[in-house]
Amino acid sequence: TVSSGKDSDEWGPPEPKPKAKTAKRTVEPKAPKEPKAPKVPKEPKPRAPRKPAAERKTQAPKRPKDSVEDKAGEDKGETQTYCPEKAEKSGPSSRMKEERVSFIVSEAHQADRWADEGSSQAELRVKKEKVKEEDFTFDEPCLKKQKTSGACLGQPTALPSSEAQSLRNELNMNWNMIQLLSTLTCVEQWVCLNVVVLLREENTVPFMVRYRKEMINHMDADAVRDVQMVYEELCSVAKKTQSVIQTLKKDGVLTTELEQNLRSCQSANELDHVYSPYKKGSKLTKARRAKALGLEGAATALMETPHSLDLRAFVKPGTEGLSSVEEVATGVEHILADMIAKDPDTLTYVKTLCEKSIVTIQSSVSKSALKDKEQGKSVSDQKKKGEPKNPQDIDKFQLYFDFTSNIQRIQPHQTLAINRGESLKILTVKVNIPDSVKSDFTRWCINSRWRPKTFAREELNAIIRNAVEDSYKRLILPFLTRGYRTKLTSAAEKESIAMFVRNLRQRLLVGPVRGCVIMGVDPGFTHGCKLAVLSPTSQILHTDVVYLNNPGQQREADKLRHLMIKYSCTRVVIGNGTACRETESFFSDLISRRYFHPLDVSYCITSEAGASIYSVSPEAVKEMPDLDPNLRSAVSIGRRVQDPLAELVKIDPKHIGIGTYQHDVSAGALKAALGGVVQECVSFVGVDINICSEILMRHVAGLNAGRARSIAEWRKKKGPFINREQLKLVKGMGPKSYQQCAGFIRINPQTLQSIKSSLQPEAAAAPEKSTAKKGKGKTGVSVPNSFNPLDQTCIHPESYHVAQRFLSLVGGHVDQIGSAALRNCVESKVRTSCVEDLARTLDTTPETLQLIIDGLTQPPGFDIRHNFGQVDFKRGIVSMSDLKVGTVLTGRVENTALFGAFVDIGVGRSGLIHKSKITLDKLPVSQRRRSLALGPGERVEVRVLNVDSQRGRIGLDLIRVLQ
């Protein structure tokens, strides 16, 4: 049987950072000396992973008094403490991404606390330990920061044994799903059970995070998705286990002991480890050929009764493979080598030896790439021969021409870069396992595991020695190498996806620029600069093409001035593609000469990544059927600044131009992660159901392409939605779908009035008729035809009755939503009676009441993106030649990678802040607990360290993050 998760889950080296050991300590809040802490890492018991999860409720620390609620966006109250226990057996595959939380501590203890803790995730209120300064790494995620049951903000309930037993019976495994999920994710069992139940009831993550906070203990969306991911992996393991058992049963090799071992596996790697000795190999393997010749009996006799074995008895002259004693001995060696390579005890031992040794990964330039570089082949020549590389590609991997790193310390971006270079046949990669592993392994096999049971002659001992060496070199060493590469790639992919997800979230939540006319410019040389003038509501007012880089620039400048003044356009958005710098210079010159007077015109540069792809997509054709694809790109560029979220959701996230090595990771995992983030952002921001696009509606929690299309058709036929209840009349909108999406859909009274006034009286009166949704065998569903002011808030319809009682309690009315008078009444009531007491009075939970308070007091049209920065507009231009070492500049983070952050400082080239320059003392308190210290859109103050004009590289040092 498998004795521990560490041995069975992943056989590779242990965690490289010593900080993981710190997180394994059991926290004793009332005993600061922690006398039992050193004993925890030494527990070798098979059931160790379950024990900490079971003891969590009694040993978890209390909620620290100095932690406060994180008020990012509308998800208030996401206070979290560090998990005192980390699953010791999970390996890198279970390393969790950090959560977006912040801690506020007293000023007196801040400096010492950050200096002592670094980014190692030591628990709150435990004895401080000195951590090396380099432990704060930009590229490595901190350990999961979850609440413990002693610090829960929700109401833990007794674990329903029936639900847990039902899960166990359904999976038919030897482990308890909830206990294992709690151990692997470091989340309390009651929270894990609630999350699983909510997922099985088809609840979406945004709905759980906002409207079921008390059930998930105030976890944020990232944390819930982590639990969901591990839960789905465990279900996949259970399903695969059933398939393996059925296969072995058909082959007639399944025993009771083997079945129990298989049902005890807790990961896919562990299952493969147990199943590998019983897999059917290729028909052409040396061992199978030798077995086909009838030499399996000789191999068995060699190990069991070597004193009576005579290889000459197996010789058959004229038969290939059996014509001599030497050929018979070779066949026996091949069978023994195969047996050794598939023996579980042998594999476990060699993995243990590797863990104790220094294993390195090495990359070097391939001979073919070096030859191509020397010959200087052109790209056209390579295309004719089908070669994937060219001299420019080869130079990109120059850092890895002679690269060696400890397998435990290699960075994720280095792993992905090596993999890409290898796939392009530019690099050759090998894993170096020390010779001491081979010598120790050979000695152990010959003297212990594969020692004959009785006396063996010297020639037979030589066969065993040769078999051991052949097995290690031909079978085990490649197996270990593949395992290391797979493990490193998996960890690097997870970190890359996590980085991409965080970047995408910050890019989507950039504040919109509203209330002004904007001109989108798609720059170009040959085909000119495409222009699109957009109204404050993103309607297309005018499109045109100007040629700013050809003779006759004055005529083009006059055309621009005419358009700007005609439409009172004061904002210009230029795409950062071809001819961007020339176009920027042209506009900057006109602005400096006050050419657009009396208008005060400014411009900004924005990423046009994905604009060309979108311009020829079916969605763009449907939205702008009469426009040329080039002009559609200009419209998309302008709308990216007016409303980034509404425009960027139309583009595949992989084409937005953020992230690191996103094209080298699992497409399925990346798509699922990005889809979840887009749904989270769209849902939390909310959509005005009467004006939002069909594409945007698809990403609302509870909706899909079909339901979004049905809503758009209903809106087109029957006019605007007057209230949320009318959503129940839409085709395909069942009770569950309505429950999931209703809270994220808004009915804006201003928009409603504007649409009604533009309609003809008879068309406007049509929605007022009594409507009912008729179903087969069911009575129609009647809905009210009047506007409900609560429909413009984040309050869910299931809580409207509580909101009405609360308004009566404070002496307010729904028509006062968002007014200063109602806000004063609510604040006064909360000051006199705390939220918990009011919740008990209203027979609801504090979380629901807090959400109601937020919804009633937020101003009309409240947008959480107002808390995030907008794009920076400017009037002048700075070139790269103007930069001097030591110059202090302000810029905005454009993208982040695992090795640093790229900052747009307005010179046409992004500068790089290397991860070593992002230190704790330069970060705000709220960002010191995040492994990703910077994200797209954040404004920073930087100092120029070096300028390489020839290679177009700028090195920057972070001074501070601008709030």
Side-chain angles (χ1 to χ4, degrees), residues 29-42:
K30 297 182 180 180
K33 293 185 178 181
E34 295 184 296
K36 295 184 179 181
K39 297 182 180 180
V40 174
K42 299 182 180 180

Side-chain angles (χ1 to χ4, degrees), residues 99 169 213 233 261 333 447 456 501 618 663 726 859 861 894 896 949:
E99 290 181 18
N169 294 338
K213 290 182 179 180
E233 289 177 355
N261 290 347
E333 288 176 8
N447 297 332
V501 162
H663 299 292
Q726 287 185 323
E894 189 176 60
T896 56
S949 302

Side-chain angles (χ1 to χ4, degrees), residues 21 121 151 171 249 385 443 462 466 468 566 579 620 904 924 944 952:
K21 298 181 179 179
Q121 301 305 314
L171 297 174
K249 188 179 294 184
K385 294 185 178 182
R443 188 182 307 111
N466 292 338
V468 171
K566 178 181 179 180
D904 180 9
V944 178

Side-chain angles (χ1 to χ4, degrees), residues 160-275:
S161 57
S162 58
E163 191 71 33
Q165 188 62 35
S166 173
L167 275 173
R168 186 164 183 171
N169 294 338
E170 182 179 326
L171 297 174
N172 197 16
M173 300 295 285
N174 290 342
W175 34 262
N176 183 291
M177 165 66 80
I178 303 303
Q179 290 181 359
L180 182 58
L181 189 61
S182 175
T183 300
L184 295 177
T185 59
C186 208
V187 177
E188 300 79 6
Q189 290 190 38
W190 69 271
V191 179
C192 288
L193 179 59
N194 286 340
V195 171
V196 170
V197 171
L198 289 170
L199 290 173
R200 288 164 67 89
E201 292 176 352
E202 300 181 351
N203 290 284
T204 60
V205 172
F207 177 81
M208 288 189 280
V209 170
R210 176 170 288 181
Y211 300 111
R212 296 293 183 265
K213 290 182 179 180
E214 67 280 0
M215 294 184 67
I216 63 173
N217 208 9
H218 292 244
M219 291 196 302
D220 70 0
D222 284 340
V224 176
R225 272 193 294 268
D226 289 337
V227 176
Q228 180 185 18
M229 179 184 66
V230 177
Y231 168 68
E232 291 174 351
E233 289 177 355
L234 292 176
C235 290
S236 176
V237 169
K239 185 177 180 180
K240 186 177 179 181
T241 300
Q242 307 306 324
S243 176
V244 168
I245 290 175
Q246 293 300 322
T247 301
L248 295 178
K249 188 179 294 184
K250 290 180 181 179
D251 296 341
V253 297
L254 182 66
T255 63
T256 303
E257 182 182 2
L258 176 59
E259 182 176 357
Q260 294 303 312
N261 290 347
L262 290 169
R263 294 192 188 280
S264 299
C265 295
Q266 301 176 358
S267 68
N269 291 321
E270 194 173 327
L271 178 64
D272 186 68
H273 180 77
V274 177
Y275 177 48

Side-chain angles (χ1 to χ4, degrees), residues 8 182 217 340 353 394 403 413 421 457-458 548 562 620 625-626 646 663 669-670 674 681 704 762 778 848 920 956-957:
S8 57
S182 175
N217 208 9
I340 293 170
L353 291 177
I394 296 174
F403 175 82
H413 69 273
R457 300 185 300 276
E458 179 57 32
L548 306 181
H562 171 73
D626 300 327
H663 299 292
L670 181 63
L674 298 182
C681 294
N704 54 25
E762 57 273 13
K778 296 182 180 179
T848 300
L920 289 175
L956 302 175
D957 180 22

Side-chain angles (χ1 to χ4, degrees), residues 615-856:
S615 65
V616 295
S617 66
E619 290 83 1
V621 173
K622 182 179 178 180
E623 184 181 5
M624 298 172 280
D626 300 327
L627 277 187
D628 180 83
N630 293 320
L631 295 175
R632 292 177 194 152
S633 297
V635 174
S636 178
I637 289 171
R639 287 176 175 173
R640 290 183 184 203
V641 173
Q642 277 191 319
D643 193 341
L645 179 63
E647 188 63 24
L648 292 178
V649 295
K650 303 175 183 177
I651 302 168
D652 189 332
K654 291 189 298 184
H655 302 311
I656 295 179
I658 57 176
T660 170
Y661 294 98
Q662 62 266 26
H663 299 292
D664 297 294
V665 302
S666 169
L670 181 63
K671 183 178 180 180
L674 298 182
V677 173
V678 172
Q679 185 187 67
E680 170 198 340
C681 294
V682 173
S683 300
F684 288 166
V685 170
V687 298
D688 188 339
I689 194 65
N690 287 320
I691 61 173
C692 72
S693 66
E694 181 182 327
I695 299 176
L696 187 62
M697 276 191 288
R698 295 175 189 172
H699 299 284
V700 176
L703 300 183
N704 54 25
R707 297 188 189 107
R709 183 168 55 253
S710 298
I711 291 174
E713 291 174 355
W714 195 98
R715 191 172 59 187
K716 183 177 180 181
K717 292 179 181 179
K718 302 187 178 182
F721 287 87
I722 300 175
N723 52 55
R724 286 171 171 170
E725 289 289 319
Q726 287 185 323
L727 287 169
K728 296 178 180 179
L729 306 177
V730 176
K731 178 183 177 182
M733 186 69 71
K736 196 65 184 181
S737 301
Y738 175 77
Q739 179 198 38
Q740 298 300 304
C741 73
F744 306 115
I745 286 176
R746 307 283 189 272
I747 307 292
N748 191 307
Q750 288 80 15
T751 304
L752 184 62
Q753 187 61 36
S754 174
I755 296 176
K756 278 187 174 183
S757 62
S758 64
L759 296 175
Q760 296 297 329
E762 57 273 13
E768 300 295 329
K769 296 179 181 179
S770 178
T771 54
K773 179 182 178 181
K774 296 182 179 180
K776 295 181 181 179
K778 296 182 180 179
T779 58
V781 179
S782 297
V783 298
N785 290 323
S786 59
F787 172 70
N788 188 341
L790 292 174
D791 288 342
Q792 61 182 311
T793 69
C794 62
I795 304 172
H796 198 279
E798 66 185 10
S799 303
Y800 279 1
H801 63 286
V802 181
Q804 293 285 3
R805 294 205 306 269
F806 179 72
L807 284 171
S808 301
L809 188 64
V810 300
H813 192 268
V814 289
D815 294 332
Q816 297 177 304
I817 288 177
S819 65
L822 181 59
R823 190 180 306 112
N824 293 334
C825 292
V826 171
E827 291 175 355
S828 175
K829 191 66 177 179
V830 172
R831 279 196 298 268
T832 56
S833 301
C834 65
V835 174
E836 288 76 12
D837 294 340
L838 291 173
R840 282 192 292 270
T841 303
L842 298 171
D843 192 23
T844 187
T845 63
E847 292 79 10
T848 300
L849 181 57
Q850 184 60 56
L851 191 64
I852 291 173
I853 293 174
D854 293 340
L856 295 177

